[in-house]
Amino acid sequence: MNTKAEKVSLLCDMIAFAIVDGELHEREYLFLSIIAVELGISKEELNQLFHEEHRSEIIKSEFERIQQFYRLALLMHCDGVLHEREQIKIREIGINMGLNPFAMKRVLKAMEESPTSMVHPDFLLEVFQEQHN
């Protein structure tokens, strides 16, 4: 992820996912703010993105697609409520990104069972790499 346009696109995808359940929870907004800072996007720019229509860019690198999937999964869990629409949408997004459905299912299950809703990065990569063999 090199360009600002790519970073804005990732953030826009996350914003769209955050409101798929019909509302933006405060914890979701805080999570989006943290991601924006990490991507070098100012709070003003982040707030403006909520009012703009944006078209997603294709993420070329598999590693970056896995990262984005995991960010979305964390966003899904951060409000403490797993909405059915979020679960359907994250699977749809993952498939559209070309990620393996079985790997996605394993990661989401592990996150559900984790007390922190997080998984170790090695586990995350291992699950997706297993599907290549």
Side-chain angles (χ1 to χ4, degrees), residues 33 70 107 123:
S33 298
Y70 186 57
V107 169
F123 170 79

Side-chain angles (χ1 to χ4, degrees), residues 1-3 5 10 20 25 41 43 45-46 48 51 53-54 56 60-61 68 71 74 94-95 97 106 113 118-119 124:
M1 190 171 31
N2 300 321
T3 68
L10 290 175
V20 79
H25 298 274
I41 308 290
K43 191 166 189 163
E45 289 175 287
L46 170 66
Q48 185 60 36
H51 305 288
E53 193 171 322
H54 190 74
S56 295
K60 294 178 180 89
S61 157
Q68 182 66 353
R71 284 186 201 110
L74 287 171
I95 288 170
M97 286 193 292
R106 278 189 62 200
E113 294 172 352
M118 296 175 74
V119 296
L124 181 66

Side-chain angles (χ1 to χ4, degrees), residues 5-6 8-13 16 49 52-58:
E6 290 172 322
V8 167
S9 179
L10 290 175
L11 204 50
C12 285
D13 290 344
L49 293 176
E52 295 177 4
E53 193 171 322
H54 190 74
R55 188 171 167 197
S56 295
E57 290 191 22
I58 296 171

